[in-house]
Amino acid sequence: MAAAGFIHRPSGNSPDVAQCFFCLKELEGWEPEDDPMQEHQKHAPTCPFISLKKTAEELTLIEFLKLDKERVKIKTQKVMNQHIEKFQKVAQTVRGSLEKLDKDG
């Protein structure tokens, strides 16, 4: 698992969740015959770590730092998308309340 970039990230509902350290893709439901590298490639083909086609041990310091920079970008984008989604839900609720006020008024 680690050679494919995964770290173990269990939760109460999913004890077998593994997350890529770099692209943050989470996979669960692992079967004994699953190949972590193939599963990673199939579910996250644009992962910067997968794109290098190297194991973690083969990475140079420069490659690791570039991957870490991409990881920060991906994490920032993920957090930003969560905030946008939350904002849109609140905006929809407010919009509905305003429309109701307009109809009642």
Side-chain angles (χ1 to χ4, degrees):
M1 297 291 279
F6 288 110
I7 55 175
H8 189 214
R9 299 280 300 207
S11 67
N13 297 348
S14 302
D16 70 341
V17 173
Q19 181 184 47
C20 174
F21 180 76
F22 299 103
C23 73
L24 308 179
K25 179 68 175 176
E26 291 183 344
L27 297 177
E28 61 182 315
W30 293 92
E31 300 294 330
E33 65 277 359
D34 287 343
D35 179 291
M37 194 63 84
Q38 288 178 353
E39 292 297 318
H40 197 171
Q41 175 69 38
K42 182 168 71 173
H43 294 282
T46 61
C47 174
F49 176 70
I50 291 295
S51 298
L52 282 178
K53 298 180 183 350
K54 289 185 172 186
T55 65
E57 295 82 18
E58 296 172 325
L59 295 176
T60 66
L61 177 58
I62 297 295
E63 289 169 332
F64 177 80
L65 291 174
K66 286 180 181 178
L67 286 172
D68 192 49
K69 180 180 170 184
E70 289 301 311
R71 182 183 66 82
V72 170
K73 284 182 190 178
I74 291 166
K75 184 169 179 91
T76 302
Q77 185 68 48
K78 185 176 181 177
V79 169
M80 188 173 65
N81 287 342
Q82 289 170 342
H83 285 293
I84 289 170
E85 187 176 308
K86 183 178 176 182
F87 173 81
Q88 288 173 336
K89 285 180 182 177
V90 171
Q92 185 177 11
T93 301
V94 170
R95 185 178 300 115
S97 296
L98 291 173
E99 289 171 355
K100 185 177 182 215
L101 281 174
D102 188 40
K103 288 178 184 177
D104 294 341

